[in-house]
Amino acid sequence: MENKLTDRSVTDIANILGLSRQAVYNKFVHHSAPITVKELAILKDKLDYPTYDLLIEDIKKLLKVR
């Protein structure tokens, strides 16, 4: 499946979650803050993803996490 986040920015994700851009990087890149189930549920709903796995993979690609 094609990454649906290619036209979205980190700012979009931050705005959806009510976080700063740095907080998004902390959660998904640096892992210094936990990603909550509620946050994933909000993103899955707002971004219209069929599964959590696809959502997480696309966020990692967007943030270039290895």
Side-chain angles (χ1 to χ4, degrees):
M1 182 176 172
E2 186 178 323
N3 187 339
K4 293 167 77 172
L5 296 180
T6 53
D7 62 338
R8 302 225 180 232
S9 68
V10 176
T11 303
D12 293 330
I13 293 172
N15 289 339
I16 289 170
L17 294 177
L19 300 170
S20 67
R21 287 174 50 91
Q22 187 59 51
V24 171
Y25 277 99
N26 288 347
K27 285 179 180 290
F28 291 99
V29 180
H30 307 300
H31 305 292
S32 58
I35 304 161
T36 67
V37 172
K38 182 178 179 182
E39 289 169 334
L40 285 175
I42 290 168
L43 284 174
K44 182 177 175 284
D45 183 53
K46 295 275 187 187
L47 300 175
D48 193 31
Y49 266 80
T51 69
Y52 289 106
D53 289 340
L54 286 172
L55 172 64
I56 292 168
E57 281 305 309
D58 283 357
I59 289 172
K60 286 180 178 181
K61 288 176 193 168
L62 177 71
L63 300 174
K64 295 183 179 35
V65 176
R66 294 181 184 196

